[in-house]
């Protein structure tokens, strides 16, 4: 006779009580959505005030609900509140505790709303709050970059294409490139706040409600511009979460690019910068090592944030209107990405302020790889009226000659330059140094120190208003 397996054996050790335990495990969200407690209570306070104002509940019940919710907020803030997995989520945990505190009046709070619009308004409020925190963190990073750019507006370094020395630039100009990137990130944050500034509260389960509610009142009380305009979309929309993850992924990519440069610049081969011990670690076996671990971790965390974006896009891609339980998977991705981005922004701000610039190494490297070759070509065009394509060819021959002589362009004898083109004169040597090169790039947005300082002034004014 075949021995029958017990339910415990069938379901495994973790789910000792069988299918009910599995359902509880997959269904419960209180482990992570408890982060929404403050927003949930804010939403309920606004809803209760509106219900009383419209005559749907009495002022007495409103006052009981208000006192009870404020008591629960104090309990959670002081870590005295006991969360229950059996109550599934933050909404039911708070509602159950409210019933314990104030009795039957608690049951009237949920009039004219559903958990669908309740979670939608809670999550929107949380994302809006996080966007504001992201904006503040970006401003701090931009301000740190502006300070370093101003300090090094005339510090010469090599500019690269294909990670090969291209033309001399200044370190200030390089810092300002990241100001532009993070400035765009800040702009995306502001845009996202504007687009998410609509309240879904009052959409109820999916079709609105027959109660005479005032959605404009609750929207105003919660700091939204206006209520959403379609109840189906209100409860099924997660664009605000996707947009947060999208801008976070773009911002993290910018952080990662800068982190990669910090890693490269801090190597002995480059020796452009040095991070203090505050943002470095040593090796467990090699005592001479100083590793830029903070930059490496910023670079790595980009993968987590991008992964969160892809995960939520995949969750949402096949959902019919309106609400589906799949959307419970939205919060962990956003919470994790938000925390990761906050940490990465803080770390990068710290590194920007902390790093020491080796100006001598930068300047030496700026002159390598015949970086002023373009300046020679430009001089031939400007002074001799030579077509640029011909000037390009003449300059290429000059570079080949310098390579064969193992010297810089500025060290080639005049007679040898004239052997390439007889019209070249000694005035050319005034344009072949890295300092002259960067000072000559005066076009708007160029690397000339005066242009860099001009852009710094512009961004200081812009950030002050942001």
């Amino acid at each position: 006779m075949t021995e029958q397996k017990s339910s415990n054996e069938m379901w495994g050790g973790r789910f000792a009580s069988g299918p009910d335990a599995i359902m509880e495990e997959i269904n419960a969200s209180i482990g992570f959505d408890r982060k929404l407690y403050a927003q949930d209570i804010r939403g309920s306070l606004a809803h209760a005030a509106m219900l009383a104002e419209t005559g749907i509940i009495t002022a007495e019940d409103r006052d009981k609900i208000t006192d009870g919710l404020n008591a629960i907020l104090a309990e959670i803030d002081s870590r005295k509140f006991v969360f229950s997995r059996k109550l599934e989520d933050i909404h039911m945990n708070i509602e159950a505790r409210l019933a314990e505190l104030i009795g039957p009046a608690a049951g009237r709070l949920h009039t004219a709303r559903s958990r669908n619009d309740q979670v939608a308004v809670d999550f929107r409020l949380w994302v809006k709050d996080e966007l504001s925190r992201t904006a503040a963190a970006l401003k701090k990073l931009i301000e740190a970059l502006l300070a370093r750019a101003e300090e090094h507006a005339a510090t010469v370094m090599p500019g690269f294409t294909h990670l090969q020395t291209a033309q001399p630039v200044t370190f200030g100009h390089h810092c300002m490139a990241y100001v532009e990137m993070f400035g765009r990130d800040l702009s995306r944050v502001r845009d996202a706040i504007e687009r998410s500034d609509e309240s879904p509260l009052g959409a109820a389960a999916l079709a609105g409600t027959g109660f005479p509610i005032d959605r404009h009142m609750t929207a105003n009380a919660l700091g939204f511009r206006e209520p959403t305009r379609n109840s189906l979309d209100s409860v099924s929309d997660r664009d605000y979460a996707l947009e947060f993850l999208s801008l976070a992924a773009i911002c993290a990519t910018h952080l990662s690019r800068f982190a990669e440069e910090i890693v490269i610049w801090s190597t002995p081969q480059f020796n452009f910068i040095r991070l203090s011990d505050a943002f470095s670690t040593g090796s467990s076996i090699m005592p001479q090592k100083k590793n830029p671990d903070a930059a490496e971790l910023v670079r790595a965390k980009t993968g987590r944030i991008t992964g969160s974006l892809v995960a939520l896009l995949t969750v949402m891609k096949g959902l019919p209107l309106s609400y589906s339980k799949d959307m419970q998977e939205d919060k962990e991705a956003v919470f994790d990405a938000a925390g990761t981005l906050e940490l990465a922004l803080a770390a990068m701000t710290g590194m920007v302020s902390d790093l020491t610039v080796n100006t001598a190494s930068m300047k030496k490297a700026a002159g390598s790889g015949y970086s002023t070759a373009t300046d020679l070509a430009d001089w031939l065009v400007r002074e001799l009226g030579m077509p640029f394509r011909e000037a390009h060819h003449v300059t290429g021959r000059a570079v080949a000659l310098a390579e064969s002589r193992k010297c810089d362009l500025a060290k080639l004898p005049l007679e040898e330059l004239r052997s390439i083109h007889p019209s070249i004169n000694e005035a050319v040597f005034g344009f072949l140094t890295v300092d002259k090169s960067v000072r000559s790039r005066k076009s708007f947005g160029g690397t000339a120190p005066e242009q860099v300082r001009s852009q710094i002034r512009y961004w200081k004014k812009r950030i002050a208003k942001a």
Side-chain angles (χ1 to χ4, degrees):
M1 182 176 178
T2 304
E3 184 181 349
Q4 288 193 344
K5 292 183 180 291
S6 69
S7 62
N8 284 7
E9 289 178 293
M10 289 176 64
W11 294 108
R14 185 174 182 191
F15 304 110
S17 60
D20 289 347
I22 293 176
M23 186 59 197
E24 181 180 315
E25 183 72 18
I26 198 170
N27 191 49
S29 59
I30 190 60
F32 52 86
D33 71 11
R34 66 177 64 184
K35 275 182 175 284
L36 300 175
Y37 77 90
Q39 290 78 19
D40 192 70
I41 291 172
R42 280 173 62 193
S44 291
L45 287 169
H47 187 64
M50 180 274 296
L51 290 177
E53 183 68 23
T54 53
I56 298 171
I57 65 172
T58 66
E60 181 183 359
D61 282 342
R62 176 202 60 204
D63 293 344
K64 289 180 180 179
I65 290 168
T66 298
D67 291 344
L69 289 172
N70 285 326
I72 292 169
L73 180 62
E75 287 180 355
I76 299 176
D77 282 340
S78 61
R79 301 188 178 182
K80 295 178 181 177
F81 189 93
V82 179
F83 294 98
S84 169
R85 284 175 57 80
K86 292 188 180 299
L87 293 171
E88 294 184 17
D89 57 32
I90 188 62
H91 323 297
M92 297 307 294
N93 269 262
I94 290 175
E95 186 173 321
R97 179 58 178 150
L98 186 63
E100 290 176 355
L101 290 174
I102 68 171
R108 296 188 174 90
L109 173 60
H110 208 55
T111 306
R113 77 173 181 184
S114 160
R115 273 195 290 179
N116 293 355
D117 63 332
Q118 188 177 357
V119 69
V121 76
D122 291 359
F123 199 25
R124 272 191 191 243
L125 285 169
W126 193 94
V127 170
K128 273 186 67 182
D129 290 344
E130 186 59 33
L131 285 166
S132 295
R133 287 190 287 271
T134 303
L138 278 166
K139 285 183 66 175
K140 287 182 180 178
L141 176 54
I142 290 170
E143 287 165 354
L145 284 164
L146 287 171
R148 299 321 297 266
E150 192 163 33
E151 181 184 353
H152 293 283
T155 298
V156 178
M157 69 173 290
F160 299 94
T161 60
H162 309 278
L163 203 55
Q164 305 292 317
T165 302
Q167 293 177 316
V169 296
T170 69
F171 184 59
H173 192 55
H174 202 106
C175 289
M176 292 303 294
Y178 284 101
V179 168
E180 294 288 335
M181 290 186 209
F182 295 123
R184 291 193 295 272
D185 291 329
L186 181 57
S187 176
R188 275 183 280 270
V189 170
R190 298 299 189 203
D191 290 347
I193 291 173
E194 175 69 17
R195 267 187 295 279
S196 64
D197 204 17
E198 298 177 350
S199 172
L201 187 59
L206 76 160
T209 178
F211 289 95
I213 61 172
D214 185 344
R215 293 190 62 209
H216 288 84
M217 179 180 171
T218 51
N220 183 65
L222 293 171
F224 288 104
R225 183 182 65 249
E226 59 185 344
T228 52
R229 295 175 179 274
N230 183 282
S231 59
L232 282 169
D233 181 61
S234 299
V235 298
S236 62
D237 168 41
R238 292 298 183 271
D239 283 6
Y240 55 93
L242 288 168
E243 190 162 5
F244 173 78
L245 290 174
S246 178
L247 67 86
I250 295 171
C251 181
T253 299
H254 293 155
L255 289 167
S256 184
R257 294 183 73 179
F258 199 7
E260 170 70 1
E261 295 202 303
I262 289 173
V263 170
I264 292 171
W265 292 345
S266 62
T267 61
Q269 290 78 14
F270 271 74
N271 194 29
F272 284 3
I273 64 159
R274 183 177 178 84
L275 291 172
S276 76
D277 293 347
F279 292 96
S280 307
T281 64
S283 166
S284 63
I285 191 172
M286 295 169 284
Q288 83 283 7
K289 292 291 294 298
K290 189 170 186 178
N291 302 320
D293 281 11
E296 292 172 4
L297 288 166
V298 167
R299 185 177 59 186
K301 288 182 183 298
T302 303
R304 286 178 65 167
I305 295 173
T306 303
S308 293
L309 170 61
V310 173
L312 187 53
L313 283 168
T314 305
V315 167
M316 297 300 297
K317 72 174 183 64
L319 299 185
L321 294 178
S322 59
Y323 179 82
S324 296
K325 191 72 168 182
D326 309 51
M327 293 181 194
Q328 184 169 291
E329 292 296 311
D330 57 1
K331 294 165 202 65
E332 286 182 285
V334 172
F335 293 159
D336 184 76
T340 302
L341 183 62
E342 279 189 43
L343 180 58
L345 284 167
M348 185 58 73
T349 303
M351 282 186 282
V352 169
S353 300
D354 174 83
L355 61 84
T356 301
V357 178
N358 189 337
T359 56
S361 290
M362 280 189 174
K363 186 168 185 177
K364 182 178 178 181
S368 66
Y370 308 102
S371 63
T372 59
T374 305
D375 297 275
L376 173 57
D378 289 347
W379 184 86
L380 292 170
V381 171
R382 190 170 53 249
E383 300 299 325
L384 304 185
M386 193 179 291
F388 183 79
R389 287 301 171 198
E390 182 183 349
H392 188 282
H393 178 73
V394 169
T395 301
R397 290 180 60 192
V399 169
L401 181 61
E403 283 181 329
S404 69
R405 299 286 191 272
K406 294 183 171 54
C407 69
D408 294 334
L409 285 172
K411 298 295 184 181
L412 282 174
L414 179 59
E415 56 270 21
E416 293 198 14
L417 285 171
R418 282 177 170 165
S419 71
I420 298 171
H421 196 285
S423 298
I424 295 176
N425 58 62
E426 61 184 12
V428 73
F429 294 108
F431 296 87
L432 297 183
T433 65
V434 292
D435 289 311
K436 290 285 182 65
S437 176
V438 296
R439 285 200 295 270
S440 72
R441 308 291 175 182
K442 296 179 181 179
S443 57
F444 185 82
T447 193
E450 63 188 74
Q451 277 296 319
V452 173
R453 293 186 180 102
S454 174
Q455 294 305 321
I456 292 170
R457 289 192 295 271
Y458 164 80
W459 272 102
K460 280 185 173 182
K461 291 178 183 177
R462 181 168 167 180
I463 286 300
K465 296 176 182 177

